[in-house]
Amino acid sequence: LKFRRYKSEFENQSAEMTDSVASILELMYDGKNSIITPGSFKSKLGKLNATFKGYRQHDAEEFVSFILHKLSDEMRRPHLDERTSPAMNSDSNSLTDIEKLENQSRSALLKYRQKNNSLILDVFEGQYVSRLQCSHCDTASNTFEPFVVLSLAIPETNSMSLTINLENCLDEFLKTETLKETERWYCSQCNGLMQASKRISLLKDSLPHVLIVQLKRFSSLGVKINTPVKFPIDLLDLQPFVANASERDHLNYRLCAVTEHTGVCGGGHYTAYARCIDGVWRYFNDAEVTRPSHLSESIYTDAYLLFYERVKVREPHNSVI
Protein backbone atom coordinates (compact mmCIF):
# COMPACT_ATOMS: atom_id res chain seq x y z
CA LEU A 1 0.00 0.00 0.00
CA LYS A 2 1.11 3.51 -0.76
CA PHE A 3 0.41 4.60 2.83
CA ARG A 4 2.94 2.05 4.12
CA ARG A 5 5.47 2.81 1.39
CA TYR A 6 5.43 6.56 2.02
CA LYS A 7 5.70 6.30 5.80
CA SER A 8 9.50 6.54 5.75
CA GLU A 9 9.15 9.93 4.07
CA PHE A 10 6.80 11.40 6.66
CA GLU A 11 7.96 14.42 8.62
CA ASN A 12 5.54 13.44 11.39
CA GLN A 13 6.46 9.91 12.44
CA SER A 14 3.39 9.66 14.69
CA ALA A 15 1.01 8.27 12.07
CA GLU A 16 -1.84 6.73 14.07
CA MET A 17 -4.57 7.66 11.59
CA THR A 18 -2.47 6.56 8.63
CA ASP A 19 -1.83 3.16 10.21
CA SER A 20 -5.55 2.75 11.03
CA VAL A 21 -6.66 3.58 7.48
CA ALA A 22 -3.94 1.38 5.99
CA SER A 23 -5.08 -1.54 8.15
CA ILE A 24 -8.67 -1.18 6.91
CA LEU A 25 -7.51 -1.05 3.28
CA GLU A 26 -5.42 -4.17 3.78
CA LEU A 27 -8.44 -6.01 5.17
CA MET A 28 -10.59 -4.80 2.28
CA TYR A 29 -8.25 -5.99 -0.42
CA ASP A 30 -6.83 -9.22 1.00
CA GLY A 31 -9.73 -11.19 -0.49
CA LYS A 32 -10.59 -12.93 2.77
CA ASN A 33 -13.23 -10.61 4.19
CA SER A 34 -16.74 -10.01 2.87
CA ILE A 35 -17.73 -7.68 5.75
CA ILE A 36 -15.41 -5.52 7.84
CA THR A 37 -16.28 -3.99 11.20
CA PRO A 38 -13.93 -1.01 11.69
CA GLY A 39 -14.09 -1.09 15.50
CA SER A 40 -10.41 -0.30 16.11
CA PHE A 41 -10.56 2.53 13.57
CA LYS A 42 -13.62 4.02 15.31
CA SER A 43 -11.87 3.79 18.68
CA LYS A 44 -8.74 5.46 17.31
CA LEU A 45 -10.83 8.17 15.67
CA GLY A 46 -12.49 9.03 18.99
CA LYS A 47 -9.10 9.28 20.71
CA LEU A 48 -7.76 11.62 18.04
CA ASN A 49 -10.87 13.80 18.00
CA ALA A 50 -13.33 13.79 20.92
CA THR A 51 -16.08 14.99 18.55
CA PHE A 52 -16.31 11.47 17.16
CA LYS A 53 -16.46 9.62 20.47
CA GLY A 54 -19.54 7.56 21.22
CA TYR A 55 -22.20 6.39 18.83
CA ARG A 56 -24.40 9.38 18.17
CA GLN A 57 -24.67 10.55 14.57
CA HIS A 58 -21.97 12.85 13.26
CA ASP A 59 -21.72 14.93 10.11
CA ALA A 60 -20.21 13.03 7.16
CA GLU A 61 -18.52 16.13 5.70
CA GLU A 62 -16.84 16.89 9.04
CA PHE A 63 -15.74 13.24 9.22
CA VAL A 64 -14.23 13.23 5.72
CA SER A 65 -12.54 16.61 6.23
CA PHE A 66 -11.00 15.54 9.54
CA ILE A 67 -9.74 12.24 8.13
CA LEU A 68 -8.13 13.88 5.09
CA HIS A 69 -6.55 16.72 7.05
CA LYS A 70 -5.25 14.31 9.70
CA LEU A 71 -3.81 12.00 7.05
CA SER A 72 -2.25 14.99 5.31
CA ASP A 73 -0.67 16.18 8.55
CA GLU A 74 0.72 12.71 9.33
CA MET A 75 1.95 12.18 5.76
CA ARG A 76 3.47 15.63 5.39
CA ARG A 77 6.69 15.59 3.41
CA PRO A 78 9.65 17.33 5.08
CA HIS A 79 10.51 19.26 1.92
CA LEU A 80 8.70 20.29 -1.20
CA ASP A 81 9.42 17.95 -4.09
CA GLU A 82 12.04 19.35 -6.42
CA ARG A 83 10.13 21.09 -9.13
CA THR A 84 10.58 24.20 -11.22
CA SER A 85 8.69 27.30 -10.25
CA PRO A 86 5.60 27.86 -12.39
CA ALA A 87 6.28 29.94 -15.48
CA MET A 88 5.17 33.52 -15.02
CA ASN A 89 5.23 36.48 -17.35
CA SER A 90 7.21 39.21 -15.62
CA ASP A 91 5.95 41.92 -17.97
CA SER A 92 2.77 42.74 -16.04
CA ASN A 93 1.88 45.57 -18.39
CA SER A 94 1.30 43.11 -21.23
CA LEU A 95 -0.89 40.74 -19.20
CA THR A 96 -4.65 40.51 -19.29
CA ASP A 97 -6.58 40.52 -16.01
CA ILE A 98 -7.04 36.76 -16.16
CA GLU A 99 -3.32 36.20 -16.84
CA LYS A 100 -2.45 38.34 -13.81
CA LEU A 101 -4.87 36.25 -11.76
CA GLU A 102 -3.23 33.04 -13.01
CA ASN A 103 0.19 34.33 -11.96
CA GLN A 104 -1.08 35.28 -8.51
CA SER A 105 -2.77 31.90 -8.13
CA ARG A 106 0.35 29.92 -9.08
CA SER A 107 2.47 31.99 -6.72
CA ALA A 108 0.01 31.57 -3.83
CA LEU A 109 -0.29 27.81 -4.41
CA LEU A 110 3.48 27.32 -4.57
CA LYS A 111 3.99 29.31 -1.36
CA TYR A 112 1.24 27.33 0.39
CA ARG A 113 2.56 23.94 -0.75
CA GLN A 114 6.07 24.72 0.49
CA LYS A 115 4.66 24.34 4.01
CA ASN A 116 1.73 22.01 3.24
CA ASN A 117 2.94 19.19 1.05
CA SER A 118 1.60 15.64 1.17
CA LEU A 119 0.28 12.80 -0.94
CA ILE A 120 -3.24 13.56 0.31
CA LEU A 121 -3.08 17.18 -0.86
CA ASP A 122 -1.69 16.03 -4.21
CA VAL A 123 -4.92 14.11 -4.76
CA PHE A 124 -7.73 15.91 -2.91
CA GLU A 125 -6.86 19.58 -2.56
CA GLY A 126 -7.87 22.40 -4.87
CA GLN A 127 -7.81 26.18 -4.64
CA TYR A 128 -10.31 28.89 -5.51
CA VAL A 129 -10.02 32.67 -5.72
CA SER A 130 -12.20 34.94 -3.59
CA ARG A 131 -12.25 38.48 -5.02
CA LEU A 132 -13.52 41.52 -3.12
CA GLN A 133 -14.11 44.69 -5.13
CA CYS A 134 -14.99 48.18 -3.95
CA SER A 135 -18.30 49.34 -5.42
CA HIS A 136 -17.09 52.96 -5.40
CA CYS A 137 -13.61 52.88 -6.98
CA ASP A 138 -13.32 49.26 -8.26
CA THR A 139 -10.20 48.56 -6.19
CA ALA A 140 -9.99 44.77 -5.77
CA SER A 141 -8.24 42.25 -3.54
CA ASN A 142 -7.81 38.53 -4.25
CA THR A 143 -7.57 35.82 -1.60
CA PHE A 144 -6.60 32.28 -2.57
CA GLU A 145 -8.38 29.62 -0.51
CA PRO A 146 -7.37 25.93 -0.47
CA PHE A 147 -10.16 23.35 -0.14
CA VAL A 148 -10.61 19.58 0.09
CA VAL A 149 -14.42 19.76 0.08
CA LEU A 150 -16.31 22.19 -2.15
CA SER A 151 -19.44 23.13 -0.19
CA LEU A 152 -22.33 24.18 -2.43
CA ALA A 153 -25.58 25.77 -1.32
CA ILE A 154 -28.78 24.48 -2.91
CA PRO A 155 -30.60 27.35 -4.66
CA GLU A 156 -34.06 28.12 -3.36
CA THR A 157 -37.02 27.58 -5.67
CA ASN A 158 -40.72 28.31 -5.29
CA SER A 159 -41.70 25.94 -8.07
CA MET A 160 -42.16 22.23 -7.43
CA SER A 161 -41.72 21.57 -11.16
CA LEU A 162 -38.36 23.34 -11.45
CA THR A 163 -35.43 20.91 -11.52
CA ILE A 164 -32.30 21.86 -9.59
CA ASN A 165 -29.06 20.34 -10.82
CA LEU A 166 -25.42 20.43 -9.77
CA GLU A 167 -24.69 23.04 -12.43
CA ASN A 168 -27.23 25.37 -10.74
CA CYS A 169 -25.40 24.88 -7.43
CA LEU A 170 -22.08 25.73 -9.07
CA ASP A 171 -23.59 28.85 -10.65
CA GLU A 172 -24.87 29.88 -7.22
CA PHE A 173 -21.43 29.36 -5.67
CA LEU A 174 -19.65 31.37 -8.37
CA LYS A 175 -22.08 34.25 -8.81
CA THR A 176 -21.19 37.81 -7.81
CA GLU A 177 -22.86 38.91 -4.59
CA THR A 178 -23.12 42.31 -2.95
CA LEU A 179 -22.00 42.26 0.67
CA LYS A 180 -24.45 43.39 3.34
CA GLU A 181 -24.17 46.76 5.07
CA THR A 182 -22.82 44.98 8.13
CA GLU A 183 -20.08 43.38 5.97
CA ARG A 184 -18.53 46.54 4.53
CA TRP A 185 -14.95 46.06 3.29
CA TYR A 186 -12.02 48.34 4.07
CA CYS A 187 -10.83 49.85 0.78
CA SER A 188 -7.27 51.15 0.90
CA GLN A 189 -7.94 53.48 -2.03
CA CYS A 190 -11.02 55.05 -0.48
CA ASN A 191 -9.48 54.81 3.01
CA GLY A 192 -12.69 53.60 4.62
CA LEU A 193 -15.25 50.86 5.02
CA MET A 194 -17.04 50.65 1.70
CA GLN A 195 -19.79 48.63 0.10
CA ALA A 196 -18.23 45.85 -1.92
CA SER A 197 -18.99 42.84 -4.08
CA LYS A 198 -17.62 39.32 -3.71
CA ARG A 199 -16.99 36.76 -6.41
CA ILE A 200 -15.43 33.28 -6.23
CA SER A 201 -13.60 31.85 -9.25
CA LEU A 202 -12.12 28.47 -10.12
CA LEU A 203 -8.92 28.23 -12.18
CA LYS A 204 -7.96 25.20 -14.25
CA ASP A 205 -4.48 24.72 -12.76
CA SER A 206 -5.95 24.64 -9.24
CA LEU A 207 -8.56 21.89 -9.67
CA PRO A 208 -8.08 18.72 -7.57
CA HIS A 209 -7.66 15.23 -8.99
CA VAL A 210 -10.51 14.03 -6.77
CA LEU A 211 -13.27 16.60 -6.31
CA ILE A 212 -15.45 16.17 -3.22
CA VAL A 213 -18.69 18.16 -3.34
CA GLN A 214 -20.90 18.77 -0.33
CA LEU A 215 -24.54 19.63 -1.00
CA LYS A 216 -25.41 21.83 1.97
CA ARG A 217 -28.59 20.12 3.15
CA PHE A 218 -28.46 21.19 6.80
CA SER A 219 -29.46 24.77 7.52
CA SER A 220 -28.29 26.87 10.48
CA LEU A 221 -31.87 26.68 11.79
CA GLY A 222 -31.65 22.91 12.16
CA VAL A 223 -33.83 22.16 9.14
CA LYS A 224 -32.87 19.63 6.50
CA ILE A 225 -33.19 20.72 2.86
CA ASN A 226 -34.69 17.83 0.89
CA THR A 227 -34.72 19.56 -2.50
CA PRO A 228 -33.75 17.02 -5.20
CA VAL A 229 -30.46 17.90 -6.92
CA LYS A 230 -29.67 16.16 -10.22
CA PHE A 231 -25.99 15.48 -10.85
CA PRO A 232 -23.98 13.83 -13.67
CA ILE A 233 -23.06 10.19 -13.20
CA ASP A 234 -20.56 9.61 -15.99
CA LEU A 235 -19.36 13.06 -17.03
CA LEU A 236 -19.17 16.34 -15.15
CA ASP A 237 -17.60 19.01 -17.38
CA LEU A 238 -16.24 21.92 -15.32
CA GLN A 239 -15.08 23.89 -18.35
CA PRO A 240 -18.06 26.33 -18.26
CA PHE A 241 -17.38 27.07 -14.58
CA VAL A 242 -13.63 27.75 -14.77
CA ALA A 243 -12.64 31.37 -15.28
CA ASN A 244 -9.58 30.77 -17.46
CA ALA A 245 -10.80 27.71 -19.37
CA SER A 246 -11.09 27.63 -23.15
CA GLU A 247 -13.13 25.37 -25.38
CA ARG A 248 -9.98 23.26 -25.92
CA ASP A 249 -9.69 22.45 -22.23
CA HIS A 250 -11.06 19.09 -21.08
CA LEU A 251 -11.92 19.50 -17.42
CA ASN A 252 -13.91 16.31 -17.04
CA TYR A 253 -14.82 14.38 -13.92
CA ARG A 254 -16.55 11.03 -13.42
CA LEU A 255 -18.64 10.21 -10.36
CA CYS A 256 -17.11 7.43 -8.26
CA ALA A 257 -19.12 7.56 -5.00
CA VAL A 258 -22.11 9.17 -3.27
CA THR A 259 -22.79 9.50 0.45
CA GLU A 260 -26.53 9.64 1.21
CA HIS A 261 -28.31 10.85 4.31
CA THR A 262 -31.89 9.95 5.16
CA GLY A 263 -33.70 11.39 8.15
CA VAL A 264 -33.52 14.79 9.81
CA CYS A 265 -30.77 17.09 11.11
CA GLY A 266 -30.69 15.60 14.59
CA GLY A 267 -30.61 12.00 13.46
CA GLY A 268 -30.86 9.68 10.52
CA HIS A 269 -28.89 7.11 8.59
CA TYR A 270 -25.93 7.22 6.18
CA THR A 271 -25.61 4.91 3.18
CA ALA A 272 -23.40 5.04 0.10
CA TYR A 273 -23.17 4.19 -3.57
CA ALA A 274 -19.70 3.42 -4.95
CA ARG A 275 -18.35 2.57 -8.39
CA CYS A 276 -16.16 -0.40 -7.50
CA ILE A 277 -12.86 -1.47 -9.00
CA ASP A 278 -14.71 -3.65 -11.56
CA GLY A 279 -16.60 -0.58 -12.81
CA VAL A 280 -19.91 -1.77 -11.33
CA TRP A 281 -21.95 0.36 -8.93
CA ARG A 282 -22.86 -1.12 -5.55
CA TYR A 283 -25.01 0.12 -2.70
CA PHE A 284 -23.62 -0.02 0.85
CA ASN A 285 -26.05 -0.04 3.78
CA ASP A 286 -24.15 -1.08 6.92
CA ALA A 287 -23.38 -4.80 6.51
CA GLU A 288 -25.65 -5.16 3.46
CA VAL A 289 -24.12 -4.69 0.01
CA THR A 290 -26.28 -4.92 -3.09
CA ARG A 291 -25.94 -4.32 -6.81
CA PRO A 292 -28.80 -2.00 -7.84
CA SER A 293 -30.58 -2.66 -11.11
CA HIS A 294 -31.40 1.00 -11.58
CA LEU A 295 -30.84 4.40 -10.04
CA SER A 296 -33.41 5.23 -7.41
CA GLU A 297 -34.79 8.76 -7.75
CA SER A 298 -34.31 9.12 -3.98
CA ILE A 299 -30.56 9.48 -4.53
CA TYR A 300 -31.14 13.03 -5.81
CA THR A 301 -33.01 13.92 -2.62
CA ASP A 302 -30.68 12.12 -0.20
CA ALA A 303 -27.25 12.75 -1.80
CA TYR A 304 -25.03 14.70 0.59
CA LEU A 305 -21.44 14.13 -0.57
CA LEU A 306 -20.39 13.53 -4.18
CA PHE A 307 -16.95 12.15 -5.05
CA TYR A 308 -15.72 12.89 -8.58
CA GLU A 309 -12.45 11.69 -10.14
CA ARG A 310 -10.67 13.66 -12.86
CA VAL A 311 -10.57 11.88 -16.23
CA LYS A 312 -8.83 12.93 -19.44
CA VAL A 313 -11.56 11.67 -21.73
CA ARG A 314 -14.91 10.03 -21.34
CA GLU A 315 -13.71 6.56 -20.49
CA PRO A 316 -15.68 3.37 -21.17
CA HIS A 317 -17.69 2.33 -18.13
CA ASN A 318 -19.84 -0.45 -16.84
CA SER A 319 -22.22 1.70 -14.86
CA VAL A 320 -25.59 0.46 -13.66
CA ILE A 321 -26.82 3.85 -12.44
Side-chain angles (χ1 to χ4, degrees):
L1 289 174
K2 285 188 177 181
F3 283 179
R4 302 290 194 198
R5 192 163 64 247
Y6 280 104
K7 187 171 182 179
S8 61
E9 301 179 18
F10 299 168
E11 183 180 72
N12 182 357
Q13 290 300 311
S14 177
E16 296 178 274
M17 179 59 69
T18 304
D19 285 336
S20 293
V21 172
S23 295
I24 290 179
L25 294 177
E26 288 172 344
L27 289 173
M28 288 173 59
Y29 290 102
D30 69 1
K32 301 176 182 178
N33 300 280
S34 58
I35 297 174
I36 296 171
T37 303
S40 59
F41 171 77
K42 174 65 175 64
S43 176
K44 180 66 67 177
L45 180 65
K47 291 179 181 179
L48 294 173
N49 187 333
T51 300
F52 299 108
K53 280 186 175 180
Y55 293 93
R56 65 185 180 88
Q57 181 173 283
H58 301 286
D59 184 80
E61 186 277 329
E62 293 179 1
F63 170 80
V64 169
S65 292
F66 173 75
I67 295 295
L68 292 178
H69 282 107
K70 186 63 177 176
L71 288 174
S72 177
D73 181 61
E74 291 184 354
M75 299 173 69
R76 186 173 61 245
R77 301 185 183 104
H79 302 289
L80 185 68
D81 288 344
E82 292 185 7
R83 61 185 77 172
T84 57
S85 298
M88 298 183 190
N89 190 334
S90 59
D91 184 8
S92 59
N93 293 327
S94 66
L95 298 180
T96 63
D97 288 343
I98 194 66
E99 287 172 335
K100 293 177 182 177
L101 190 61
E102 289 172 339
N103 275 359
Q104 294 173 14
S105 176
R106 293 188 191 107
S107 178
L109 186 59
L110 182 62
K111 183 177 180 180
Y112 171 79
R113 291 303 297 273
Q114 285 174 338
K115 295 182 179 180
N116 303 274
N117 184 27
S118 74
L119 174 67
I120 298 300
L121 299 187
D122 290 347
V123 176
F124 292 97
E125 189 172 65
Q127 177 181 266
Y128 62 74
V129 187
S130 178
R131 182 180 181 86
L132 291 174
Q133 187 165 16
C134 178
S135 300
H136 179 70
C137 71
D138 290 335
T139 295
S141 173
N142 295 320
T143 303
F144 299 89
E145 302 284 353
F147 69 88
V148 294
V149 177
L150 197 63
S151 297
L152 304 181
I154 300 173
E156 295 182 6
T157 175
N158 295 322
S159 173
M160 296 295 291
S161 61
L162 184 63
T163 299
I164 300 295
N165 55 42
L166 186 59
E167 289 79 1
N168 299 138
C169 298
L170 284 165
D171 283 334
E172 184 76 10
F173 180 70
L174 299 171
K175 75 178 183 181
T176 301
E177 62 174 309
T178 300
L179 299 183
K180 301 175 183 178
E181 283 291 322
T182 56
E183 300 173 324
R184 282 178 172 257
W185 174 62
Y186 179 81
C187 174
S188 58
Q189 186 68 28
C190 297
N191 194 28
L193 295 174
M194 307 298 293
Q195 188 174 40
S197 62
K198 177 182 178 181
R199 182 178 180 85
I200 292 175
S201 299
L202 296 171
L203 299 177
K204 60 184 179 182
D205 291 338
S206 303
L207 297 175
H209 178 69
V210 173
L211 174 66
I212 304 175
V213 175
Q214 175 197 26
L215 298 175
K216 297 170 72 172
R217 294 199 175 276
F218 305 110
S219 75
S220 59
L221 300 176
V223 177
K224 186 179 177 185
I225 301 169
N226 292 310
T227 303
V229 178
K230 298 276 187 175
F231 48 87
I233 302 295
D234 292 311
L235 183 65
L236 169 64
D237 183 6
L238 287 186
Q239 185 266 331
F241 305 100
V242 175
N244 62 336
S246 68
E247 293 183 358
R248 298 188 303 273
D249 291 315
H250 300 287
L251 307 177
N252 299 327
Y253 286 80
R254 185 178 66 171
L255 189 69
C256 54
V258 179
T259 298
E260 292 187 305
H261 179 270
T262 54
V264 296
C265 282
H269 184 59
Y270 282 110
T271 56
Y273 283 95
R275 190 194 301 260
C276 298
I277 196 169
D278 57 4
V280 176
W281 282 92
R282 289 178 174 84
Y283 181 64
F284 297 82
N285 184 359
D286 291 338
E288 182 181 357
V289 180
T290 57
R291 179 175 173 174
S293 60
H294 65 281
L295 173 63
S296 170
E297 285 294 317
S298 66
I299 194 174
Y300 297 122
T301 301
D302 299 333
Y304 181 47
L305 297 178
L306 308 175
F307 298 79
Y308 281 95
E309 182 180 17
R310 184 84 176 262
V311 291
K312 293 182 179 180
V313 295
R314 188 170 184 174
E315 300 174 346
H317 60 276
N318 187 24
S319 174
V320 295
I321 64 171

